[in-house]
Amino acid sequence: MARTKKKFRWRDFLPYYLLALPGIIYMICNNYLPMFGIVIAFKNLNFRKGIMGSDWCGFDNFKFLFASKDAWAITRNTILYNVAFIILTTLIAIAVAILINEIKSRTASKLYQSLILLPYLMSWVIVSYLAYAMLSGETGMINNGIFKALGMKSVSWYNEPKYWPFILTFVHLWKTVGYAMIIYYSSIVGISQDYFEAATLDGASKWQQIKYITLPLLKPTMITMLVLQVGRIFYSDFGLFYQIPMNSGTLYSVTRTIDVYVYNALMKSSDFGMSSAASVYQSIVGFVLIIAVNALLRKTSKENALF
Amino acid sequence: MRDKTIRESTVWQIAAHAIMISGSLLALLPFILLVIASFTDNQTALVNGYSFFPAKWSLEAYEYIAREWVTVGRAYLMTIVVTVVGTVLSLVLTSTFAFAVSNDRLPGHKLLMFLSIFTMLFNGGIVASYYVYSNIFHIKDTIFALIVPNLLMTPFNVVLVKNYYKNSISPSILEAARIDGASVFQVFHKIVIPLSVPILATIGLMTAIAYWNDWTNGLYYLTERNGVKLYTIQLVLNKINENINFLANNSELAAKAASLPSTTMRMAIAVVGVLPIMIAYPFFQKYFVKGITLGGVKE
């Protein structure tokens, strides 16, 4: 009896597994096979011998990577930029979302939303063209339009590292604030109007309403967004750091993050040792970080934990 | 009291509009500059720089694109093919996988979901992916290079579709259909898919934008020697960034290279690349915003 029941079950479930099969095969190829590729970082890769045939070299690749100044610089850049981005994006996106919510005209509010979201829709390649139109030494808008009119000397932007932390932060905000704003705005719209009406009747000013109603009720959304971003603090937006400075070597000290370093080591210098060491370093520290953030949340505020 | 509230509210309205108008202009003006730059006379651009009010206008850059339509048009076609094929395949993979995972009675559905989520937390790194795709699957310089890596099925979309199935499709409909003798495939195809059009439209749009905008797959898997014929518009733009004379090197009109309107031409190709998305934006904006807000909500 039990056996027939089990057989029946399998025939029943087989179609589901068949439907899942393409997805499973894709995950194996795209995600799980590369996980075994981590061994490349511990090998002296020889293409003719393949991964399995190549000689082990232990932690040599990592030793080389951490002996260079690069390891520290790319780690510092990745983390500092992310910290600045997380703080500024959150503050500005919430401020913009609150302002848009205050606007009474539906048409105007819709229009502002669409325009502020527009840059998020563009690829980093396109954004690099827009940045170039602004920053180019000879033809850029800033040098020729603004600085000339103000009688200031033109700046060779693509050769001056000191400006780039600000440029990159600005471009990042320009492109992504719209996205975060939409999320916070939808969360503000979800707040019941009753709270605000009651507060107005009690004579609360707009400022007080924002401080005591809107912001506290935005907290869950904010925590979710922050946790997701902090979990990815070891990863950088490759497009921003590769396209916007146009992969300019003079700017590397302030523009090179782990992702850019891995790309250049792999594709430009074909250095499998260094690039795989850096990318494995990123995956493992990134993984440990996300597990740590989640463990911390499970202890302090369980409802905000990711898993 | 009442006056004070009204006055306060007016001040807020004015301040809010003023700030939002500046913010919107900040977002929009670079695009306007791009378009104007593409219509600027090349010599004027070289002397005065890009400007919102160029001294001399010109169609030179677009005439050039029209002459070079073989290169630009081919890239356009590649972008469209990759976007359409990639999006369709992605929807098939995501909707079928999510359907299996959404079935609570399926042995192993939790494991499958975990395997999908785990890929968000941990990965083998770019180098390992690069090795696997180029040395095991040999996708370098094939169209698969632009479609398969990373974009085809994201755990994020799987979660969204799975949640939609669970929250919006009642299990009793599916059971009733099964009792009436419909196979699992028929249930999926005739009931589940038609009922989940809204979510499939939303993630389909997000996926299509991701494919349209993608340039990293080409950067890794298309080589300069053999992959050029597969370049999408984004990759052509990226290539121009790397080497402004790319078009000149790749056309029969190379002899005319000296007279190329290169600074404004770059802007014109960027306009051509961005135009379809700009035109379509008002129409798909609603779904786009919906896709973003869905992403902000945790499982």
Side-chain angles (χ1 to χ4, degrees):
Chain A
M1 185 65 203
R3 180 172 279 171
T4 48
K5 199 175 176 194
K6 196 163 189 198
K7 241 182 186 166
F8 173 69
R9 270 166 60 107
W10 273 107
R11 204 198 276 158
D12 218 30
F13 288 131
L14 190 63
Y16 288 96
Y17 292 121
L18 283 178
L19 281 171
L21 197 59
I24 296 172
I25 292 173
Y26 181 65
M27 285 198 309
I28 292 173
C29 299
N30 190 61
N31 304 99
Y32 286 94
L33 266 181
M35 282 185 203
F36 294 105
I38 283 180
V39 297
I40 297 173
F42 302 94
K43 292 237 172 182
N44 199 346
L45 191 69
N46 182 328
F47 270 93
R48 252 180 306 142
K49 294 182 187 168
I51 294 187
M52 289 307 146
S54 295
D55 305 322
W56 292 96
C57 68
F59 283 90
D60 280 3
N61 290 328
F62 293 93
K63 277 184 201 146
F64 280 126
L65 175 68
F66 290 104
S68 69
K69 279 182 297 177
D70 295 342
W72 159 243
I74 58 178
T75 309
R76 178 203 62 191
N77 285 347
T78 309
I79 291 178
L80 283 186
Y81 276 114
N82 272 325
V83 169
F85 292 174
I86 292 171
I87 295 171
L88 291 171
T89 312
T90 310
L91 290 179
I92 297 176
I94 290 179
V96 172
I98 288 175
L99 282 174
I100 287 192
N101 187 50
E102 287 303 325
I103 283 168
K104 291 207 179 93
S105 152
R106 297 275 294 158
T107 333
S109 134
K110 273 258 160 68
L111 184 68
Y112 297 147
Q113 281 180 58
S114 318
L115 289 176
I116 290 175
L117 186 59
L118 182 64
Y120 181 68
L121 196 65
M122 299 300 150
S123 80
W124 279 115
V125 184
I126 298 285
V127 178
S128 86
Y129 276 70
L130 300 175
Y132 181 84
M134 294 289 169
L135 297 173
S136 152
E138 305 82 40
T139 51
M141 173 85 191
I142 294 185
N143 277 344
N144 289 288
I146 302 169
F147 281 14
K148 218 185 253 173
L150 296 173
M152 287 158 74
K153 266 225 236 114
S154 54
V155 174
S156 176
W157 298 101
Y158 288 97
N159 292 313
E160 296 266 8
K162 63 183 173 197
Y163 300 112
W164 281 85
F166 304 101
I167 296 173
L168 289 172
T169 307
F170 179 82
V171 174
H172 171 85
L173 291 173
W174 180 79
K175 191 167 188 287
T176 52
V177 154
Y179 167 81
M181 174 272 288
I182 292 288
I183 290 177
Y184 287 117
Y185 176 71
S186 75
S187 172
I188 292 176
V189 170
I191 298 173
S192 160
Q193 279 303 310
D194 299 350
Y195 293 128
F196 296 107
E197 274 161 27
T200 318
L201 283 178
D202 288 346
S205 70
K206 270 271 143 59
W207 188 243
Q208 285 169 324
Q209 290 180 27
I210 289 170
K211 201 168 151 197
Y212 296 111
I213 302 173
T214 317
L215 288 180
L217 288 173
L218 271 185
K219 217 171 131 198
T221 313
M222 214 168 98
I223 293 178
T224 309
M225 297 278 286
L226 284 178
V227 169
L228 288 174
Q229 291 173 84
V230 171
R232 289 195 61 82
I233 209 162
F234 233 61
Y235 291 86
S236 66
D237 194 336
F238 177 61
L240 172 66
F241 294 97
Y242 175 79
Q243 288 289 352
I244 305 303
M246 307 228 170
N247 207 18
S248 156
T250 35
L251 302 176
Y252 274 166
S253 60
V254 292
T255 61
R256 195 159 55 161
T257 58
I258 303 175
D259 303 78
V260 177
Y261 179 85
V262 171
Y263 170 79
N264 280 327
L266 175 65
M267 303 301 287
K268 300 279 182 221
S269 359
S270 298
D271 187 342
F272 265 85
M274 291 292 243
S275 59
S276 61
S279 90
V280 167
Y281 161 61
Q282 181 182 43
S283 317
I284 290 178
V285 180
F287 181 61
V288 170
L289 268 174
I290 203 161
I291 296 296
V293 168
N294 193 61
L296 193 73
L297 279 173
R298 283 177 79 102
K299 269 216 169 118
T300 51
S301 56
K302 204 151 192 250
E303 70 278 9
N304 292 314
L306 292 171
F307 46 86
Chain B
M1 173 67 210
R2 194 159 215 161
D3 279 0
K4 201 181 141 216
T5 326
I6 292 173
R7 195 155 7 101
E8 193 200 17
S9 148
T10 323
V11 171
W12 265 92
Q13 285 300 306
I14 294 172
H17 276 286
I19 297 172
M20 292 330 296
I21 288 173
S22 348
S24 306
L25 283 179
L26 196 63
L28 188 64
L29 283 180
F31 294 102
I32 295 178
L33 182 65
L34 182 81
V35 174
I36 293 180
S38 72
F39 283 106
T40 305
D41 175 64
N42 194 49
Q43 211 48 43
T44 314
L46 283 175
V47 176
N48 299 334
Y50 302 125
S51 153
F52 285 106
F53 311 101
K56 197 173 162 206
W57 300 79
S58 159
L59 283 173
E60 216 179 340
Y62 290 92
E63 281 161 13
Y64 179 78
I65 290 181
R67 277 204 307 275
E68 294 301 292
W69 191 246
V70 185
T71 310
V72 180
R74 170 186 214 119
Y76 235 109
L77 193 70
M78 279 309 301
T79 299
I80 292 168
V81 168
V82 166
T83 303
V84 171
V85 175
T87 307
V88 170
L89 283 178
S90 170
L91 283 175
V92 170
L93 253 69
T94 310
S95 61
T96 50
F97 185 77
F99 181 59
V101 170
S102 71
N103 183 347
D104 282 340
R105 278 182 295 175
L106 184 75
H109 77 277
K110 279 213 167 118
L111 175 70
L112 287 179
M113 198 60 219
F114 172 79
L115 287 176
S116 174
I117 297 281
F118 186 69
T119 62
M120 271 203 273
L121 307 177
F122 186 67
N123 61 72
I126 298 158
V127 178
S129 294
Y130 178 78
Y131 187 91
V132 166
Y133 274 123
S134 43
N135 291 54
I136 296 176
F137 297 120
H138 300 286
I139 64 163
K140 269 195 148 184
D141 296 329
T142 67
I143 190 162
F144 300 107
L146 298 175
I147 293 173
V148 178
N150 303 323
L151 298 168
L152 211 47
M153 187 176 88
T154 67
F156 198 70
N157 286 345
V158 170
V159 170
L160 292 184
V161 176
K162 185 203 85 171
N163 287 350
Y164 189 90
Y165 289 160
K166 283 193 130 173
N167 299 331
S168 312
I169 301 177
S170 118
S172 53
I173 303 181
L174 306 185
E175 231 156 78
R178 294 283 285 130
I179 290 165
D180 287 348
S183 73
V184 173
F185 298 106
Q186 281 169 331
V187 167
F188 176 70
H189 168 229
K190 297 260 162 67
I191 300 174
V192 174
I193 291 296
L195 283 176
S196 44
V197 166
I199 190 74
L200 294 180
T202 306
I203 68 156
L205 174 75
M206 301 305 266
T207 310
I209 293 171
Y211 273 107
W212 184 280
N213 281 340
D214 185 60
W215 49 276
T216 43
N217 279 340
L219 194 67
Y220 277 103
Y221 301 113
L222 296 187
T223 60
E224 207 152 329
R225 219 176 321 138
N226 302 315
V228 170
K229 58 186 188 303
L230 293 168
Y231 272 13
T232 61
I233 202 90
Q234 304 287 344
L235 289 166
V236 169
L237 284 166
N238 174 61
K239 198 78 225 167
I240 295 173
N241 262 353
E242 285 177 13
N243 169 18
I244 299 174
N245 294 321
F246 169 72
L247 275 182
N249 297 336
N250 278 282
S251 76
E252 301 89 319
L253 297 165
K256 288 187 181 172
S259 62
L260 291 181
S262 69
T263 41
T264 55
M265 181 199 83
R266 300 174 63 185
M267 298 298 148
I269 297 182
V271 170
V272 169
V274 92
L275 210 59
I277 274 200
M278 293 278 246
I279 293 172
Y281 183 48
F283 302 101
F284 68 64
Q285 194 210 357
K286 208 174 78 187
Y287 298 96
F288 187 54
V289 168
K290 203 172 144 214
I292 291 174
T293 44
L294 279 178
V297 185
K298 218 172 32 153
E299 189 182 351

